[in-house]
């Protein structure tokens, strides 16, 4: 990935203009999904279709295969984290979020997911820290702002 291009997109996430932020967000997601070319994109697409049709075991197997074949494919780890979160396997989701962030420290989706996992596990201070890290990248994210407030309320 072109680091100058990615840097400009990350900077655009902080722009006061919502249209600029939305376009940058879409471009970053596209880059992340396409990081490993057609093969990676097709595997992620297949896993999503399996999840959508309720075949989570098959989707998990496919994403696990992809994470083994392409260890540095952040989006494969992130998609599996999403799958785990959606079926209530928060510890497994948390682990995959951490791998995603290790590969791509600017992955605001994985940081958001990390916060969701910590919140689901009742670790509200850690959730707040994760949501704040996501906000450092996407300062206009209302959902992360709201989740921080919800976690703060649960701590008090």
């Amino acid at each position: 990935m072109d680091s100058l291009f990615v840097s400009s997109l990350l900077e655009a996430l902080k722009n006061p203009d919502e249209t600029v932020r939305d376009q940058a967000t879409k471009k970053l997601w596209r880059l992340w999904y396409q990081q490993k070319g057609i093969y990676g994109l097709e595997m992620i697409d297949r896993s999503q279709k399996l999840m959508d049709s309720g075949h989570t075991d098959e989707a998990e197997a496919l994403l696990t295969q992809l994470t083994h074949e392409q260890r540095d494919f952040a989006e494969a780890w992130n998609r599996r984290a999403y799958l785990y979160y959606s079926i209530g396997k928060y510890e497994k989701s948390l682990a995959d979020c951490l791998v995603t962030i290790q590969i791509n420290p600017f992955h605001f989706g994985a940081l958001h997911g990390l916060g969701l996992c910590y919140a689901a596990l009742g670790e509200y201070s850690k959730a707040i820290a994760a949501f704040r890290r996501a906000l450092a990248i996407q300062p206009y994210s209302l959902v992360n702002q709201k989740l921080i407030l919800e976690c703060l309320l649960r701590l008090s």
Side-chain angles (χ1 to χ4, degrees), residues 12-26 138 140-141:
L13 296 176
K14 299 173 181 171
N15 192 301
D17 185 332
E18 185 178 1
T19 303
V20 171
R21 293 192 312 268
D22 288 348
Q23 289 174 350
T25 299
K26 288 175 187 169
Q138 279 186 311
Y140 290 93
S141 171

Side-chain angles (χ1 to χ4, degrees), residues 101-150:
I101 296 161
Q102 184 177 25
I103 296 167
N104 179 356
F106 302 105
H107 200 299
F108 49 81
L111 288 165
H112 173 78
L114 187 67
L116 291 174
C117 290
Y118 281 132
L121 294 168
E123 297 185 42
Y124 301 112
S125 294
K126 289 181 179 181
I128 291 166
F131 292 135
R132 284 187 175 150
R133 285 178 64 193
L135 271 178
I137 299 166
Q138 279 186 311
Y140 290 93
S141 171
L142 295 177
V143 68
N144 286 324
Q145 292 172 24
K146 178 181 174 247
L147 288 165
I148 287 170
L149 292 174
E150 288 178 11

Side-chain angles (χ1 to χ4, degrees), residues 48-95:
Q48 186 62 50
K49 287 177 180 165
L50 286 165
M51 284 181 7
D52 291 344
S53 62
H55 297 97
T56 55
D57 289 343
E58 293 93 335
E60 178 185 4
L62 196 64
L63 290 168
T64 298
Q65 175 188 337
L66 189 55
T67 60
H68 288 313
E69 292 173 356
Q70 308 283 335
R71 305 234 16 108
D72 64 340
F73 188 11
E75 199 52 40
W77 292 95
N78 187 57
R79 295 310 304 160
R80 194 173 71 173
Y82 173 78
L83 180 146
Y84 286 144
Y85 181 83
S86 70
I87 59 174
K89 293 183 178 181
Y90 304 122
E91 291 87 0
K92 285 185 168 193
S93 180
L94 185 69

